[in-house]
Amino acid sequence: MTLGIPNESWMYKPEIGDEVVVCDTDGLIIGNAQYREKGTVVTIWGDDKLTKEKDGLYINEKFILKLWRQSTESIEEITINSWIEGSNFYTIDGISIVGGMTVFNECDKKLIKVTDAIGRDIKIDSKKSILLYMY
């Protein structure tokens, strides 16, 4: 399977040397590729039925994306907000293209406050239409 990540899909672009890593839900790495400014392409491997060990994804199995930052040697979770084509489920010879995504480093992110559009502090459970989350 092929995963395409157009450069405009990144909210905050990685640096040259960073890597996109594709894993199954148990953390088995089943594909990776270095970030490229013109677009990143990752080959995602399926399971080899001739081996006893699971070494790839099963058909229709969900995959997860992560970003390895070379400068900090840290791994960040990637949340896909939209797909141009396909989805995050493995198909033989399938193509999935990311439309938009968010990269999340859980260790660095702490919610400071929530405000409305003009900067007034709001309770998190508020029913206001536009909320700004400050981290």
Side-chain angles (χ1 to χ4, degrees):
M1 179 175 181
T2 303
L3 173 67
I5 305 174
N7 204 39
E8 58 272 7
S9 299
W10 297 97
M11 184 179 291
Y12 302 104
K13 294 178 178 40
E15 298 174 2
I16 299 299
D18 293 350
E19 285 190 31
V20 175
V21 180
V22 183
C23 304
D24 69 5
T25 55
D26 293 325
L28 176 68
I29 296 175
I30 42 85
N32 70 305
Q34 285 197 347
Y35 164 74
R36 294 181 46 226
E37 289 178 338
K38 293 186 178 186
T40 304
V41 178
V42 185
T43 300
I44 300 174
W45 296 98
D47 185 54
D48 182 352
K49 294 181 181 180
L50 300 176
T51 62
K52 292 180 182 179
E53 300 83 24
K54 181 179 185 239
D55 52 11
L57 290 174
Y58 300 126
I59 296 172
N60 293 321
E61 184 177 4
K62 183 177 182 177
F63 59 85
I64 298 168
L65 300 178
K66 297 182 180 188
L67 180 66
W68 180 76
R69 299 266 187 195
Q70 181 182 25
S71 61
T72 60
E73 294 187 359
S74 63
I75 295 177
E76 300 175 357
E77 299 288 328
I78 297 175
T79 300
I80 305 300
N81 301 323
S82 65
W83 294 94
I84 294 172
E85 184 175 328
S87 67
N88 61 334
F89 290 92
Y90 176 77
T91 58
I92 297 174
D93 297 330
I95 297 176
S96 289
I97 301 173
V98 175
M101 66 181 134
T102 306
V103 178
F104 177 69
N105 187 340
E106 196 169 302
C107 298
D108 295 340
K109 192 172 182 180
K110 291 187 175 122
L111 182 63
I112 298 170
K113 67 179 177 175
V114 180
T115 67
D116 63 9
I118 59 174
R120 295 179 294 202
D121 287 344
I122 302 293
K123 293 181 182 177
I124 293 177
D125 60 351
S126 175
K127 301 289 188 233
K128 299 274 184 184
S129 61
I130 297 176
L131 298 178
L132 302 173
Y133 293 81
M134 296 183 191
Y135 293 92

